[in-house]
Amino acid sequence: MTPPGPTPPERYTVVSADCHAGADLLDYRPYLPSSRHEEFDAWAASYVNPFTDLMAPEAARNWDSDRRLAELEQDGIVAEVVFPNTVPPFFPSASLSAVQPTAEEYDLRWAGLQAHNRWMVDFCAQAPGRRAGTFQILLNDVDAAVAEVRRCHAAGLTGGLLLPGVPPGSPVPELWSDVYEPLWAVCAELGVPVNHHAGSASPELREEPAARAVFMVETTWFSHRALWHLAFAGVFQRHPQLRLVLTEQGSGWIPGVLDMLEYYHRRLVGAAASSGSAARAATAESKFGAGLAELTGDGPSAAWERNCFVGASFMRSHEVPLRDRIGLDKIMWGSDFPHDEGTYPYTTEALRVAFAGVPYDEVAAMVGGNAARVYGFDLPALDALAAKVGPLVDDIARPLTETPPGATSPAFAKGSSVRVW
């Protein structure tokens, strides 16, 4: 008779792979070189904040470490990967969604991002072992970006690099360009995750109703582009240790997109092969696949399996049955704290929507174990805290029958069970 396995813990250890923070505007000043203080004072005096979630009293969640820890623990979350949220010096808006600067804008914007990175080091140090802070770069100067990767890695920002987007019309090359090879090389060398967050690759949003709707339809698609840019550029083939994390872009699209990328890979590689065969005539497509086989090796699906992960913020119930096709070991749940679309203060309810009826080991991997592995959290240490504040396993096992009043996360929205690829 086979002896029973170990009894699962009473509570889950939840690590949010998608949270946001930043300094209050004037608090960035000490993190700038003194030579920039006069320019900063002039910029800060004229800046008008357009973001309601950065206004008091909720804004303090971005930088008040004690309040933040208390609210996350209240919500059952014991650790977080921290992306930017507030407006860094010399930016017109939040840096996550800002387009790459022009040559004239670069120096000031770069000083502002480096100030944010220095602030992030101190912010994470206020909660040792519980925050994996990401750091930002610009793509205008690759050598400067590589130096910043080394500096931030050495300073302890374990959340890794936040890769900027390159929407159409950007003043820098597309992500497939070989000019970025030193960036991929240093991240692979140091084991630094490369994160690409939704909203960072879209063209600028206009205010017309149609523009806002089109933005919502396209914003995740623009962020998905990093996957096929790097795959077809051979980045994953040259750097098998590189890790790419696609965050807050959904996850239900992944199986279909991988099928599509595999189709094009086979089609183009096959067309190129035909051009070199005496037995077959070259097709009109052969030039599009020339050199692709040598660049990409075993293809996009293999690159996904080896190199890629998904920060699956407030995972929807229709996405969970796809976990084996996505890769159970690749899915990292996120709360998107402190955004309005985040699950706070109803994370337990959101987890019930997604994971009721799913085996314990699988839920434990998706809500904490995978993120701990990718971002270097000490999972046993977090388990001890989760034993006091984590959501109860028995609670998550029960389907949610009624949406909490006041819940604003799309995890609870009507239609959230409809597949969106």
Side-chain angles (χ1 to χ4, degrees), residues 6 42-43 58 64 78 89 101-102 120 125 142 154 177 196 199 217 236-237 279 288 303 312 367 382 397 407 416:
W43 171 80
E58 288 79 10
D64 185 330
V78 295
T102 64
M120 183 67 79
V142 176
S177 173
H196 197 52
V217 171
F236 301 125
Q237 183 71 11
F288 293 100
V367 303
L382 295 178
S416 64

Side-chain angles (χ1 to χ4, degrees), residues 21 27 86 120 130 154 191 234 302 314 337 365 382 389 403:
D27 289 343
T86 61
M120 183 67 79
R130 299 183 62 182
F314 40 81
F337 181 88
L382 295 178
V389 304
T403 300

